[in-house]
Amino acid sequence: MKTSLLKESMFLSEEKLKEYLKYASTDEARAVLFVKKQIKESAGHWIDIIDCVSYQNDNPNDLEFKLVICGHYKRILKPKYPPKSNFIFNGKLNEKEYYLSVRAITWETAHKDISQQKSKGIKGVMFEIKGVKYNKNRGKFIKDPPWLNSPAWKNVDIHSLRGADRSYVQQFLAPPDWRYEIKSIRKLSN
């Protein structure tokens, strides 16, 4: 990545860019996107994530959280973006660098605006979002195994089996069908 582009724009320091890139890979950054997707009232507001618990997924693009508690703050400060002309080289706009700097500047402005509002005693509107992820096929079988109605297997949790028993049972189990649902979205009193 060419950080010299960002230095020339004089809008963003290299340290701030590194700080933003570190933040962008966190659950907090994903939680902001999650809140924007789930709560319509978040349009035109900065989102301050107080707490979040995500489902640890193989895919970091999945926006699936057990819990998110956040505050909404009105946007008072406006980000100052560099002109696109600062990111044109050989007659071509380097979109990746431009949009990276725009996101980093927006993030920096949001943090500054939220901290200024908090220092003045302004409290944001607080929300709590709860979600649940479950396997729709848990305990379901593709075909009925011969031991299903046997008294010996009646009280056995087939998901706790190990080794050869587990591999024998798995041939009858339906493949996992993971579902994610929002359980509740509620406004918290300050």
Side-chain angles (χ1 to χ4, degrees):
M1 181 172 7
K2 298 177 183 175
T3 54
S4 61
L5 292 174
L6 300 172
K7 285 181 184 176
E8 291 175 17
S9 72
M10 298 179 67
F11 283 85
L12 188 68
S13 69
E14 193 171 343
E15 297 82 38
K16 286 292 182 184
L17 177 64
K18 286 179 183 176
E19 199 176 321
Y20 169 74
L21 289 172
K22 186 177 176 183
Y23 160 81
S25 64
T26 65
D27 278 346
E28 183 181 346
R30 290 177 46 246
V32 170
L33 296 173
F34 175 76
V35 169
K36 286 182 178 184
K37 180 180 175 185
Q38 299 299 331
I39 301 177
K40 292 177 185 171
E41 293 94 348
S42 63
H45 291 82
W46 299 123
I47 298 167
D48 182 30
I49 302 298
I50 309 300
D51 191 17
C52 66
V53 180
S54 73
Y55 285 100
Q56 298 300 322
N57 296 325
D58 295 332
N59 186 356
N61 296 327
D62 287 344
L63 298 176
E64 297 172 343
F65 288 85
K66 293 177 188 177
L67 172 73
V68 175
I69 298 174
C70 64
H72 284 62
Y73 291 85
K74 289 192 179 193
R75 292 184 181 186
I76 297 172
L77 298 178
K78 304 294 182 206
K80 294 180 180 137
Y81 301 121
K84 284 186 177 182
S85 61
N86 288 14
F87 295 88
I88 294 177
F89 290 94
N90 298 329
K92 225 177 175 184
L93 174 67
N94 187 338
E95 287 186 26
K96 183 179 177 183
E97 291 288 335
Y98 176 72
Y99 290 112
L100 176 64
S101 68
V102 165
R103 287 191 307 268
I105 291 167
T106 303
W107 169 76
E108 183 180 26
T109 306
H111 280 270
K112 183 189 276 185
D113 198 359
I114 291 169
S115 65
Q116 285 178 2
Q117 290 184 48
K118 284 181 176 180
S119 69
K120 293 177 183 175
I122 298 172
K123 293 184 179 178
V125 179
M126 303 296 286
F127 287 92
E128 176 188 70
I129 306 171
K130 289 183 179 179
V132 64
K133 186 173 186 174
Y134 62 93
N135 178 3
K136 188 178 176 193
N137 285 342
R138 182 175 171 93
K140 294 183 180 175
F141 299 98
I142 297 171
K143 53 187 176 183
D144 284 342
W147 45 263
L148 185 61
N149 295 321
S150 168
W153 284 87
K154 204 162 207 97
N155 294 324
V156 175
D157 179 14
I158 57 177
H159 299 285
S160 66
L161 296 174
R162 300 282 182 253
D165 289 337
R166 177 128 180 113
S167 59
Y168 172 71
V169 169
Q170 281 181 328
Q171 68 181 322
F172 300 103
L173 291 175
D177 182 11
W178 293 104
R179 301 291 173 101
Y180 179 78
E181 293 177 3
I182 299 295
K183 284 174 51 178
S184 67
I185 298 175
R186 65 186 186 110
K187 205 178 270 192
L188 302 174
S189 59
N190 290 338

